Amino acid sequence: MRKIIVLLFFAFIIKGYAQKSKNIFSRDPIINLENFQKKRMYYGFYLGFNSYDFKIDYKTVGPDILIKRTTGFNVGIVADLKLQEYIDLRFEPGLYYTKRDLYYPNFTNSADALREVNSTYIHFPLLVKFSSLRTGNIRPYLVGGVSATLNLSSNSKLIDDNLEQRFRVKAWTTNYELGFGIDLFSEYFIFSPSIRGVFGMNDELIRDKDPNSPWTSNIESLKTRAVFINFTFH
């Protein structure tokens, strides 16, 4: 519900600008912030939502671990360095909060079957933005790059493991990211909604001390998968 309300809020903002000054979607618009994209460097901030998942590979075939995803929240800043007219280098550090529930099969005790994974990430993406030719006050773009993520809730330094109901993952992970978005030039700022996929590259799981642990022994690798929806303002 919160996600829908925010999306409607931004839709009303865009609609209001279009009706008031015909700056964005009109057939012959007034060109807003015409010299903005000539800047060598500029900054901004973003708010958004995320949906985190795990990609799990197993050693042997059996019942899968079920993962229940929730919608998390993102907030961060943007630094954009222009490399040439249509290519920019972007650094978008941010704070990301999310929650995933892992349901293990073959347990009769619900406390053993469920592992709640609450995660607070500090996310450090370095991205390359490929912009299209600007049409009026609209400019679509593609973005891709790599990122490093620090999980503040990893439990990586704990001695306790799943036997004491402590699900542990590594504190640092690396990812690659791909996405697209659109720059909408209003009279006073640039509004850029975007969607991006995040794909973990390394195994994050810390195994239990027991090599035959029912929680970790059959997992070959556990990697992050996520979708980000961000609303950026410059």
Side-chain angles (χ1 to χ4, degrees), residues 2 48-52 70-74 96-99 229:
R2 179 177 58 184
F49 302 95
N50 64 67
S51 178
Y52 272 85
T70 60
T71 301
F73 182 75
N74 324 325
Y96 290 66
Y97 173 78
T98 191
K99 180 177 181 291
I229 298 176

Side-chain angles (χ1 to χ4, degrees), residues 32-229:
N32 295 319
L33 302 177
E34 188 171 2
N35 295 320
F36 188 92
Q37 59 194 108
K38 296 179 182 179
K39 292 183 178 181
R40 178 68 173 170
M41 176 172 281
Y42 58 91
Y43 303 92
F45 69 93
Y46 62 86
L47 304 170
F49 302 95
N50 64 67
S51 178
Y52 272 85
D53 198 354
F54 283 125
K55 180 182 182 296
I56 302 177
D57 293 325
Y58 300 93
K59 295 178 181 177
T60 60
V61 177
D64 290 347
I65 300 169
L66 300 179
I67 304 171
K68 180 182 177 182
R69 297 172 291 174
T70 60
T71 301
F73 182 75
N74 324 325
V75 60
I77 59 175
V78 177
D80 189 295
L81 175 65
K82 184 172 292 298
L83 302 180
Q84 60 114 305
E85 186 175 1
Y86 300 110
I87 301 177
D88 299 71
L89 184 66
R90 294 169 70 90
F91 182 50
E92 301 184 359
L95 184 67
Y96 290 66
Y97 173 78
T98 191
K99 180 177 181 291
R100 285 156 287 187
D101 292 333
L102 276 61
Y103 292 91
Y104 283 82
N106 302 326
F107 281 104
T108 56
N109 188 332
S110 59
D112 292 332
L114 174 62
R115 288 294 177 266
E116 295 182 355
V117 184
N118 293 290
S119 301
T120 300
Y121 294 111
I122 301 179
H123 192 61
F124 303 97
L126 187 63
L127 308 169
V128 179
K129 177 183 177 183
F130 301 92
S131 300
S132 70
L133 182 67
R134 177 174 172 174
T135 303
N137 290 306
I138 300 174
R139 184 178 62 183
Y141 62 85
L142 298 175
V143 65
V146 295
S147 60
T149 303
L150 173 61
N151 187 349
L152 301 178
S153 310
S154 66
N155 293 329
S156 60
K157 295 183 179 180
L158 295 181
I159 299 176
D160 294 342
D161 58 19
N162 279 289
L163 195 61
E164 292 81 24
Q165 299 187 358
R166 291 289 187 270
F167 186 85
R168 300 178 300 169
V169 292
K170 297 173 183 176
W172 284 96
T173 57
T174 55
N175 321 278
Y176 68 92
E177 306 189 14
L178 296 170
F180 63 91
I182 183 169
D183 289 332
L184 302 173
F185 293 79
S186 72
E187 188 175 355
Y188 302 107
F189 60 88
I190 300 174
F191 173 57
S192 299
S194 65
I195 184 169
R196 195 157 77 239
V198 179
F199 307 90
M201 293 188 288
N202 57 294
D203 179 23
E204 301 174 32
L205 183 66
I206 298 177
R207 271 71 184 176
D208 294 340
K209 295 184 289 290
D210 180 3
N212 297 315
S213 166
W215 295 278
T216 62
S217 62
N218 194 39
I219 297 179
E220 182 70 32
S221 68
L222 180 143
K223 300 177 181 179
T224 286
R225 293 289 185 268
V227 175
F228 297 162
I229 298 176

Side-chain angles (χ1 to χ4, degrees), residues 3-17:
K3 180 177 178 181
I4 295 173
I5 292 173
V6 173
L7 289 173
L8 290 174
F9 171 73
F10 285 113
F12 280 122
I13 289 178
I14 296 172
K15 182 179 179 181
Y17 271 103

